[in-house]
Amino acid sequence: DFRDEFGRTRIRYLWDQGIINFDTSTQAQPYGYGKEFLGNQIDTSTQHYDSQFSHGSHVAGIACGSGIAVNNYKGVAPKSDMVVVKMNLNQADNDFLSSLVDAVKYIFDRADDLNMPVVINISLGTYFGSHDAKDIQAQAIDNLISAKPGRVIVCSAGNAGTAPLHLGYE
């Protein structure tokens, strides 16, 4: 569902932050970690792996799926180009938030390279941080959004269910 009618990927860039990669020529720059895949490398590489049960791929399908895979279920923007970052979820919370800032900057920079507006969907999170948008990572993301027009971020609101993380009253 992330291909066009000719079978070409619509994922223009993919940065897998979790791949241990010592080849600086394939790391996303200026970040110096993970591995970046460009255009047709995404179709031919065996290094990046995204589980068929991945939440990120599921949400991306809702946003950008073409419906070609089963001739049904088109996403909201079925012909859009995509810039994808696979986050490394196996790191400390503060490192996770910093790598999220890197991911946002990476996507905005690649959209600028393509001379396109961008909507970033962030369907993951943590309960770490200030929760008042005053922590340094939240401020950095806010500055990236407001740096120029045509930048939007949509975030999940959380799904901790019945976890005792929130204040409540009877």
Side-chain angles (χ1 to χ4, degrees):
D1 274 356
F2 302 141
R3 297 181 186 278
D4 65 17
E5 63 272 15
F6 304 107
R8 297 177 302 225
T9 185
R10 292 184 296 119
I11 301 173
R12 302 290 293 273
Y13 300 94
L14 186 151
W15 178 22
D16 190 330
Q17 291 185 345
I19 291 178
I20 305 298
N21 178 21
F22 299 106
D23 179 359
T24 57
S25 70
T26 60
Q27 293 173 344
Q29 296 301 327
Y31 310 102
Y33 64 97
K35 183 164 183 168
E36 181 180 45
F37 299 88
L38 310 175
N40 67 350
Q41 292 174 332
I42 296 162
D43 291 335
T44 60
S45 176
T46 58
Q47 290 183 322
H48 169 75
Y49 172 75
D50 198 16
S51 166
Q52 63 181 338
F53 305 108
S54 172
H55 178 71
S57 295
H58 170 83
V59 173
I62 294 169
C64 305
S66 66
I68 292 173
V70 293
N71 295 317
N72 206 353
Y73 309 114
K74 285 186 180 179
V76 175
K79 293 188 176 188
S80 61
D81 287 329
M82 299 169 65
V83 176
V84 175
V85 177
K86 182 178 181 185
M87 300 289 299
N88 179 2
L89 302 178
N90 297 315
Q91 55 186 333
D93 284 334
N94 202 45
D95 292 337
F96 166 77
L97 291 175
S98 294
S99 66
L100 180 60
V101 174
D102 289 348
V104 169
K105 182 168 180 3
Y106 173 83
I107 294 169
F108 284 156
D109 287 348
R110 294 306 173 263
D112 287 349
D113 292 344
L114 297 168
N115 197 29
M116 295 179 153
V118 61
V119 176
I120 297 176
N121 176 63
I122 302 175
S123 289
L124 54 81
T126 179
Y127 292 101
F128 181 77
S130 66
H131 301 286
D132 62 3
K134 293 182 180 177
D135 58 89
I136 194 165
Q137 293 93 346
Q139 290 179 37
I141 290 172
D142 188 52
N143 289 336
L144 289 166
I145 295 168
S146 59
K148 64 184 292 189
R151 294 178 168 186
V152 175
I153 294 182
V154 179
C155 291
S156 58
N159 58 357
T162 59
L165 299 168
H166 308 284
L167 181 62
Y169 295 97
E170 293 290 329

